Amino acid sequence: MKKNIKIAPSLLAANFALLKEEVVAVEDAGAEYLHLDVMDGHFVPNISFGASLIKSIRPYSNLIFDVHLMIDNPDRYISDFVDAGANIICVHAESTKHLNRTIQLIKSYNVKVGVALNPSTPLEAIKYDIDNIDMVLIMTVNPGFGGQKFIPQMLNKIKKLRTIAPNIDIQVDGGINNEISKLVINAGANILVAGSYIFNGNYKEKINSLKS
């Protein structure tokens, strides 16, 4: 089981008037990833930002840019996000008719592949692609908005995935704080996404509290 816990602050919770400073600050505070939620208003009922914003902050950070595409037909935009500086591109299993084709497309750009699963989507959705995936993102809230409460039934899903794939990166996103982090880490997660929890306090203290 993976034990090296990595923290991925979610840019959605940052102060967009001071975006460069926010990105630099979370890196200085000990984050390893920057979680970038791209929403199109169709796949999820919200709109966020696109490749151009990601490209604009890439020069100021050495963080792993973890791009979470909550969009329909993600294949159309993979190259744009690679060009913007993505290190990992995570697509939803529910967003594409041919998941294997999408995974292979992402891999063709020599970036890591993640697949996200909504709370109601079973692990069986990735059963035949698990060996081609670098990271599985278990959504612990329904995607689209920050500040939602963690869905406790997802702990069993994380445990089951860790048993099936002992060496894969398991990322969790939704309702993560210092209490929930203990539960998801014990279940087998090793990459934690947190937005409002980190950005509404002392970044270093909050990041350390998630790891401990």
Side-chain angles (χ1 to χ4, degrees), residues 22-204:
E22 292 278 65
V23 172
V24 171
V26 291
E27 184 169 358
D28 290 345
E32 293 86 7
Y33 288 60
L34 187 66
H35 191 76
L36 299 153
D37 286 311
V38 177
M39 299 186 279
D40 64 359
H42 296 281
F43 181 71
V44 292
N46 200 1
I47 295 173
S48 60
F49 50 79
S52 59
L53 182 140
I54 295 170
K55 189 172 185 177
S56 74
I57 60 174
R58 179 75 273 188
Y60 305 108
S61 177
N62 292 312
L63 292 170
I64 295 169
F65 274 26
D66 161 32
V67 177
H68 177 196
L69 297 182
M70 289 180 272
I71 63 176
D72 285 330
N73 299 315
D75 297 36
R76 296 179 295 175
Y77 304 104
I78 299 301
S79 64
D80 293 335
F81 289 101
V82 172
D83 291 342
N87 301 108
I88 301 170
I89 294 180
C90 186
V91 296
H92 273 260
E94 308 88 358
S95 71
T96 176
K97 292 180 179 178
H98 304 287
L99 181 59
N100 182 267
R101 180 182 295 164
T102 302
I103 290 168
Q104 296 305 323
L105 175 61
I106 296 170
K107 290 172 73 73
S108 74
Y109 288 102
N110 293 315
V111 298
K112 287 190 174 182
V113 180
V115 175
L117 300 175
N118 285 337
S120 294
T121 302
L123 294 175
E124 283 70 21
I126 55 171
K127 178 178 179 179
Y128 297 107
D129 291 298
I130 194 74
D131 291 337
N132 294 314
I133 299 169
D134 298 296
M135 180 183 80
V136 178
L137 167 53
I138 301 295
M139 292 301 300
T140 48
V141 299
N142 289 295
F145 296 96
Q148 299 184 68
K149 289 186 177 180
F150 178 84
I151 300 173
Q153 290 86 350
M154 295 303 101
L155 290 171
N156 285 333
K157 194 175 187 179
I158 297 166
K159 289 177 184 176
K160 184 178 178 182
L161 175 59
R162 180 53 74 204
T163 301
I164 295 168
N167 296 314
I168 204 166
D169 281 322
I170 300 178
Q171 185 178 67
V172 292
D173 183 2
I176 302 299
N177 57 35
N178 60 324
E179 296 300 324
I180 298 297
S181 66
K182 297 178 180 67
L183 301 177
V184 297
I185 290 169
N186 287 337
N190 66 297
I191 303 175
L192 311 185
V193 177
S196 54
Y197 178 74
I198 291 174
F199 284 102
N200 290 339
N202 180 293
Y203 300 173
K204 189 174 186 66

